Amino acid sequence: MTIGLRIGPARRRKDAGQEAGQGAAATDNRSRIRAFGLRTRLLLAFLLVAGVSAGTTSALTYREARTALLETAQDTAVTSFRDHAQQTAFSLPLQRGAALEDVLRDIARKGKPHPWVVFAEYGSVRASSGENPVSTVITPELRRAARANPHGSFERVVKDGVPYLTIAMPMVFKTSPYSVLPSGLVLYAVMRLTDEQVNVDALLVAARNGALPGLAVALVPGLIAARSVLRPVRKLHEAARSMGSGRLDTRIPVRGSDELADLARTFNESAGQLERSVRELREAEERARRFASDVSHELRTPLAGMLAVTEVLDEDADGLDADTARAVRLVSAETGKLAVLVEDLMEISRFDARAAELNADEVDVAETIRKTLQNRRWTDDRVRTDLPDGIRARLDPRRFDVVIANLVGNALRHGGTPVTVRLRTEERTPGTAVLITEVMDSGPGIRPESLPHIFDRFYKADAARTRSAGSGLGLAITLENVRLHGGTIRAGNRPEGGAVFTVGIPLHAEETGG
């Protein structure tokens, strides 16, 4: 009786010990990105894309080559084992002996692509073409698959680090063209896949060694791409810095029609509009400054005559009737205000034209402040002083006199008495001493919304106050005089109430005006 054998579709399984990679996410990505420049980020992005592409290509190539290599070996082995098993006849019931082992050795000698070890299992009978009748490589899962599937099955396993291909071929009776009956005899072929594993390892090494040079080669186009992107960005940076230094005629050469070229065109258009606007503003400012200066100069001569006339009228006002005397005194007061306004406008125009000069000299600061107060007759209880002697500094006495006079006069007009003038020194940085002058009043203080504008020209903290005793330029002139000394001035409110103006001037200021 001849037993026919069939094998159905192969059932593939995954290799044991497959490697799995783990990635670690960065904890402070935002801080790390800020630590890199644009060139570095572009190169890293390019290398990342190249690395992912090279890695993916290598992995896919390795997987396909490995699959093809193993499938070729297993298909050859399965087909060869099936053909040789079908050509072999067994007499049932099967008895273990030399004849059975010779048949199994004959099948094993014909193994392709590598030698097999053939095992036979029939009930309690166990035989093989090797030394051991029972294989330790054949798994229980394969035996169950052989009993369940009369067409045969196979499995790839790893035993002690050695890969094997195991094939199960159930011997069946062919009862009809479309049906078979199991005989109970199962043949197993065990074949080492050592050569295939060596080839697979070689493929892995080749894929890895091919990916690393690919990354090195990808660095060259990455540098070229980064340079092509950064060149217009660098030119834009240089142009912006040039414009920031005052060269408003700076333009960027436009090449191409990409997004960077559009950015360059937009920059040039914006720079052109800015240059025109600034030129118009400068021309308007120059006209306004020239107008104020010309008007002030033209008014000085008639104002001098008017002041002389009003002085004479003031002397004779007591001999006039009440209405005439009141009118004379009003004209005299308004003429005085106009004269102060003209002088302040001329002073502001000199600052605007950068024609103001600082004539510094070493002076006793406390004595200078006392002279300022005495000349304005502010020696009564309305003004208190805290002026330690012995503090000397390089100052322009005339301009420092204007600073103190404007601050004290402003405090007397708009604050509350008494007004305190305090003098002290302070070391801001090692080796840098600063002269601190504070003028404080006892009034309601400065409203918070007025503090940012307190030194603006003609600014009025009270919008309803259309007229005042001053010109509206006193604090602006004070600010310019302090800056001319290389110092600073700030306004604020004291916690206990009242405004405070703090002037800080380097104790040994160099001449910065001109």
Side-chain angles (χ1 to χ4, degrees):
M1 179 177 61
T2 302
I3 300 175
L5 180 66
R6 292 186 180 180
I7 182 168
R11 187 164 60 97
R12 301 187 179 95
R13 298 181 176 224
K14 294 183 179 179
D15 293 342
Q18 185 177 5
E19 295 181 355
Q22 277 186 336
T27 58
D28 196 5
N29 190 39
R30 187 175 182 179
S31 299
R32 290 182 180 180
I33 287 177
R34 288 180 178 177
F36 293 106
L38 181 58
R39 178 189 295 273
T40 305
R41 294 203 298 269
L42 284 173
L43 287 178
L44 289 178
F46 195 89
L47 289 178
L48 178 62
V49 173
V52 171
S53 301
T56 303
T57 303
S58 300
L60 292 176
T61 303
Y62 165 74
R63 189 186 67 178
E64 294 298 324
R66 174 181 175 275
T67 302
L69 185 64
L70 293 177
E71 283 185 351
T72 300
Q74 79 185 17
D75 291 345
T76 302
V78 169
T79 302
S80 178
F81 187 51
R82 178 189 58 193
D83 294 341
H84 292 307
Q86 287 178 345
Q87 296 172 6
T88 304
F90 294 91
S91 298
L92 298 179
L94 192 66
Q95 299 294 329
R96 180 179 180 181
L100 176 60
E101 293 176 354
D102 290 339
V103 173
L104 297 178
R105 290 190 187 97
D106 183 63
I107 298 175
R109 281 194 297 269
K110 301 175 183 178
K112 293 180 181 180
H114 308 298
W116 303 328
V117 178
V118 181
F119 297 87
E121 295 183 0
Y122 179 77
S124 61
V125 177
R126 300 290 186 269
S128 73
S129 62
E131 297 178 356
N132 298 320
V134 179
S135 173
T136 59
V137 178
I138 300 173
T139 62
E141 290 80 5
L142 184 61
R143 290 189 172 92
R144 286 194 295 269
R147 289 193 297 267
N149 184 8
H151 303 294
S153 183
F154 74 91
E155 183 180 24
R156 290 200 302 267
V157 298
V158 177
K159 178 72 172 180
D160 297 331
V162 180
Y164 293 92
L165 174 65
T166 57
I167 309 171
M169 294 293 182
M171 307 301 292
V172 297
F173 296 101
K174 188 174 182 181
T175 58
S176 68
Y178 303 104
S179 64
V180 293
L181 182 65
S183 66
L185 173 62
V186 181
L187 297 181
Y188 295 94
V190 177
M191 183 181 71
R192 284 174 176 260
L193 296 176
T194 307
D195 293 345
E196 283 74 15
Q197 185 63 42
V198 170
N199 294 333
V200 168
D201 293 340
L203 286 174
L204 180 61
V205 173
R208 183 183 62 229
N209 293 341
L212 294 178
L215 287 179
V217 172
L219 185 62
V220 176
L223 288 171
I224 296 175
R227 182 180 180 184
S228 64
V229 172
L230 290 179
R231 186 187 297 112
V233 174
R234 190 181 301 111
K235 290 182 178 179
L236 180 62
H237 168 71
E238 294 173 355
R241 185 169 57 184
S242 177
M243 290 188 64
S245 63
R247 297 182 56 185
L248 299 181
D249 58 344
T250 303
R251 299 295 184 269
I252 302 176
V254 180
R255 296 185 179 91
S257 58
D258 56 3
E259 290 81 359
L260 293 174
D262 293 339
L263 178 61
R265 292 190 188 93
T266 303
F267 177 88
N268 291 340
E269 293 173 0
S270 302
Q273 294 177 359
L274 178 62
E275 183 182 14
R276 289 190 294 272
S277 299
V278 170
R279 184 170 57 250
E280 293 173 358
L281 288 174
R282 287 175 176 173
E283 291 174 355
E285 181 183 7
E286 179 63 25
R287 288 194 299 269
R289 184 166 56 245
R290 190 165 52 249
F291 173 78
S293 177
D294 293 344
V295 169
S296 300
H297 279 86
E298 293 298 329
L299 287 177
R300 292 188 73 181
T301 301
L303 274 175
M306 293 172 63
L307 286 173
V309 172
T310 53
E311 289 179 1
V312 174
L313 292 176
D314 279 341
E315 294 176 356
D316 298 335
D318 293 337
L320 303 175
D321 59 88
D323 292 337
T324 303
R326 188 162 50 253
V328 167
R329 292 189 179 94
L330 178 60
V331 170
S332 178
E334 294 301 322
T335 303
K337 292 179 182 179
L338 183 58
V340 171
L341 176 60
V342 169
E343 290 297 327
D344 289 346
L345 284 173
M346 292 185 65
E347 186 71 6
I348 284 291
S349 65
R350 281 193 288 270
F351 282 116
D352 290 342
R354 292 179 173 82
E357 296 181 353
L358 187 71
N359 299 313
D361 192 10
E362 186 172 341
V363 299
D364 186 315
V365 183
E367 184 62 26
T368 301
I369 294 176
R370 291 191 189 99
K371 288 181 179 179
T372 298
L373 300 179
Q374 291 172 359
N375 292 338
R376 276 110 179 139
R377 296 184 177 85
W378 291 335
T379 55
D380 52 13
D381 294 338
R382 294 183 302 163
V383 179
R384 300 175 180 176
T385 59
D386 180 8
L387 307 174
D389 294 325
I391 300 178
R392 302 187 66 82
R394 286 191 61 81
L395 301 172
D396 186 327
R398 183 183 70 83
R399 295 191 180 279
F400 189 69
D401 174 80
V402 172
V403 170
I404 299 301
N406 285 348
L407 292 179
V408 175
N410 183 76
L412 290 174
R413 284 193 300 271
H414 305 298
T417 56
V419 173
T420 302
V421 181
R422 180 178 298 166
L423 182 67
R424 58 186 173 86
T425 60
E426 180 179 296
E427 190 171 355
R428 296 282 175 85
T429 58
T432 304
V434 178
L435 177 69
I436 304 296
T437 307
E438 294 177 328
V439 177
M440 300 167 284
D441 62 51
S442 303
I446 305 171
R447 292 185 299 180
E449 62 270 18
S450 299
L451 279 174
H453 311 285
I454 199 69
F455 296 104
D456 292 351
R457 299 175 184 181
F458 300 107
Y459 177 76
K460 296 182 183 297
D462 185 2
R465 181 171 56 87
T466 58
R467 290 181 58 82
S468 64
S471 64
L473 295 172
L475 292 180
I477 293 175
T478 300
L479 174 64
E480 297 295 342
N481 279 305
V482 172
R483 286 177 175 173
L484 203 60
H485 282 84
T488 60
I489 182 172
R490 66 177 186 272
N493 293 311
R494 296 189 298 166
E496 61 271 21
V500 56
F501 287 83
T502 305
V503 177
I505 298 176
L507 200 58
H508 303 286
E510 298 294 335
E511 294 190 15
T512 58

